[in-house]
Amino acid sequence: MKHSASRISASRSPRRTAAAPAATAAAAVLALAGLVATAAPAASAAPSAAPATRTAATTTANAAAAPDIPLANVKAHLTQFQSIASANGGNRAHGRPGYKASVDYVRAKLDAAGFTTSLQQFTSNGATGYNLIADWPGGDPNQVVMAGAHLDSVSSGAGINDNGSGSAAVLETALAVSRAGYQPAKHLRFAWWGAEELGLVGSKHYVANLPSTERSKISGYLNFDMIGSPNAGYFVYDDDPVIEKTFKDYFAGLGVPTEIETEGDGRSDHAPFKNAGVPVGGLFTGASRTKTSAQAQKWGGTAGQSFDRCYHSSCDNTSNINDTALDRNSDAAAHAVWTLSAGTSEPPAGDTYQNTTDVPIPDGGAAVTSSVNVTGRTGNAPSALKVGVDIVHTWRGDLVVDLVAPDGTAYRLKNASGGDSADNVQETYTVDASSETANGTWKLRVQDTARYDTGYINGFSLTF
Ligand code: TRP
Ligand code: CA
Ligand code: ZN
């Protein structure tokens, strides 16, 4: 029922809301395209009405958790590296037979596990060097997650911590991918670099010879160099924020505090990738730097002593390993490879969340809301979020309608316009909500700013 001529105009102005924010590319802050950190759902504000129903089918497959990497397997690889060094003059250095024997050992394991392997040759110091590359068949070829470690030692020792540890952890992570029959959304590539100890020669060669089209497909490179230092610290590279968070979250889950790696940024094989614009991250347990007493307090070990007293020395043998550190870092490597390659368990675009519980709108009164609770999504809302508004009202010009994001940001859908005497608001609005976290409680806020005509929210829906 609607009155005609003598409408009573609003006696007070409607409560103002913030103007709809411009589309900010907040997501672009994350350099690692596609590797978007999962935002925690907003604190659950009690819905003002019955729980929203989700109408479209949703994917139930969540990302598989990484398996535990057996420490014994990682250590078995170290034993093999030690044997290789012992049989080849005590080292696995670039240009020496122990290096090529190390490559052959790792490659045979990968071939047997179903990887597609290749050797990339280069020359350094007059000797042939090799990078070993192993691709796991499948995954999106346009989104490649790489993990790597340098496989060469210095000539003075077997290089079991530097860097048998990283090499073995990356190898065992790759073998775990095969054992699990893991089918990540992204393509996985593993690498063992040659001649790192001569100045990152192998990894520089790889990056320099990678066509820019291939380079841009690498969504992240994870580096593992010295991850079993006997007097270990737990250092995470301070680079790509998503990769860094992935590692930090893992250690936080173990209750192990971490610090940012500061013992020489750019001193390992992630540097060429970083310089080429690839998002990078990695782990490190310390080299020649001294552990402080504060670090010994939180991590154990010996204050006033190097993290690795055998760094670049002949005593970098199988005794030069902290098993706990090697185990944790190997598991962290697998966790990161799994997590960063899983893709999202994103429900498909087109999912609709709705609330059809009626909400009366007080005449010329306070704003009311209808809520929809969005869960299980990753990252931000779409730039073309469809907001379905179904309001039954006898004079829609009375109504001010906003979409309120989980963080409280309001998007004006409709202003009051006293002369608009038509019935009802039955519209689908398109909102650029790309700066809003998708998960959380979204509200349709409706205020009737003028007396006489009344109505109710009949339904509110969001289509992602
Ligand atoms: N292999 C590296 C080197 O000989 C070890 C190292 C030192 C390192 N500082 C680092 C590795 C920092 C990673 C991060 O220089
Ligand atoms: Ca383990
Ligand atoms: Zn080294």
Side-chain angles (χ1 to χ4, degrees):
M1 177 194 329
K2 175 188 298 186
H3 76 150
S4 46
S6 61
R7 271 196 101 248
I8 300 160
S9 61
S11 57
R12 56 188 162 75
S13 57
R15 191 175 146 225
R16 297 198 71 83
T17 53
T24 55
V29 171
L30 301 176
L32 185 40
L35 303 188
V36 178
T38 305
S44 50
S48 61
T53 52
R54 191 164 163 180
T55 53
T58 64
T59 42
T60 51
N62 271 306
D68 181 82
I69 298 298
L71 175 65
N73 292 13
V74 182
K75 293 196 74 176
H77 301 313
L78 296 183
T79 301
Q80 293 301 314
F81 292 144
Q82 181 69 60
S83 300
I84 288 167
S86 301
N88 289 283
N91 68 65
R92 303 180 302 105
H94 167 74
R96 310 289 184 90
Y99 181 70
K100 184 56 165 48
S102 299
V103 169
D104 293 344
Y105 169 77
V106 175
R107 186 177 195 178
K109 295 282 182 196
L110 294 164
D111 286 340
F115 284 84
T116 304
T117 62
S118 63
L119 284 190
Q120 183 182 42
Q121 289 193 23
F122 56 89
T123 303
S124 182
N125 246 0
T128 301
Y130 305 91
N131 292 326
L132 170 61
I133 309 295
D135 282 278
W136 181 237
D140 182 353
N142 294 313
Q143 298 181 84
V144 180
V145 172
M146 281 190 82
H150 77 86
L151 186 54
D152 64 315
S153 71
V154 291
S155 57
S156 50
I160 298 305
N161 185 37
D162 182 15
N163 183 32
S165 62
S167 295
V170 173
L171 173 57
E172 198 53 31
T173 297
L175 297 179
V177 165
S178 170
R179 284 194 296 267
Y182 184 37
Q183 293 184 286
K186 297 180 186 172
H187 181 76
L188 287 178
R189 183 176 301 150
F190 299 89
W192 290 263
W193 308 117
E196 186 271 355
E197 299 290 4
L198 279 65
L200 319 179
V201 176
S203 53
K204 281 180 181 167
H205 180 84
Y206 178 83
V207 172
N209 286 278
L210 200 59
S212 63
T213 50
E214 292 303 310
R215 196 181 59 215
S216 63
K217 293 175 185 170
I218 304 175
S219 48
Y221 171 71
L222 313 177
N223 195 58
F224 302 93
D225 187 359
M226 302 184 73
I227 58 168
S229 303
N231 190 28
Y234 292 88
F235 299 103
V236 177
Y237 299 2
D238 179 21
D239 259 291
D240 179 77
V242 174
I243 299 175
E244 183 181 342
K245 182 178 189 307
T246 303
F247 285 126
K248 284 179 166 172
D249 286 350
Y250 185 76
F251 283 102
L254 296 180
V256 175
T258 59
E259 288 185 13
I260 295 304
E261 190 285 302
T262 58
E263 194 175 353
D265 203 17
R267 277 180 66 183
S268 193
D269 299 297
H270 57 293
F273 287 89
K274 181 182 165 78
N275 292 340
V278 174
V280 302
L283 299 176
F284 179 57
T285 51
S288 51
R289 199 176 270 181
T290 303
K291 184 178 268 187
T292 67
S293 50
Q295 289 170 328
Q297 294 242 320
K298 62 177 160 185
W299 290 325
T302 311
Q305 200 174 88
S306 291
F307 295 105
D308 181 357
R309 284 192 291 178
C310 293
Y311 176 61
H312 285 187
S313 305
S314 60
C315 60
D316 186 7
N317 54 35
T318 45
S319 303
N320 192 43
I321 289 290
N322 178 321
D323 284 356
T324 302
L326 183 65
D327 189 17
R328 289 170 174 168
N329 282 292
S330 299
D331 291 341
H335 170 78
V337 165
W338 251 257
T339 305
L340 296 173
S341 66
T344 60
S345 55
E346 187 75 348
D351 250 15
T352 296
Y353 304 76
Q354 66 176 358
N355 187 339
T356 53
T357 302
D358 291 358
V359 179
I361 305 165
D363 188 23
V368 293
T369 61
S370 174
S371 296
V372 148
N373 209 24
V374 175
T375 59
R377 304 196 75 88
T378 311
N380 283 8
S383 56
L385 178 67
K386 298 272 186 273
V387 184
V389 176
D390 180 358
I391 298 170
V392 175
H393 201 275
T394 52
W395 190 298
R396 70 181 178 194
D398 289 359
L399 301 176
V400 179
V401 183
D402 292 299
L403 173 70
V404 183
D407 70 354
T409 306
Y411 294 80
R412 175 60 46 90
L413 303 177
K414 179 195 170 303
N415 280 305
S417 53
D420 183 0
S421 64
D423 284 345
N424 306 335
V425 182
Q426 277 148 350
E427 292 275 353
T428 300
Y429 297 91
T430 301
V431 171
D432 181 353
S434 59
S435 64
E436 303 295 337
T437 299
N439 284 335
T441 302
W442 294 76
K443 291 178 178 164
L444 184 73
R445 183 169 66 202
V446 181
Q447 185 169 24
D448 181 339
T449 62
R451 287 186 296 257
Y452 195 79
D453 288 277
T454 60
Y456 59 95
I457 303 174
N458 193 39
F460 163 44
S461 69
L462 292 176
T463 301
F464 277 73

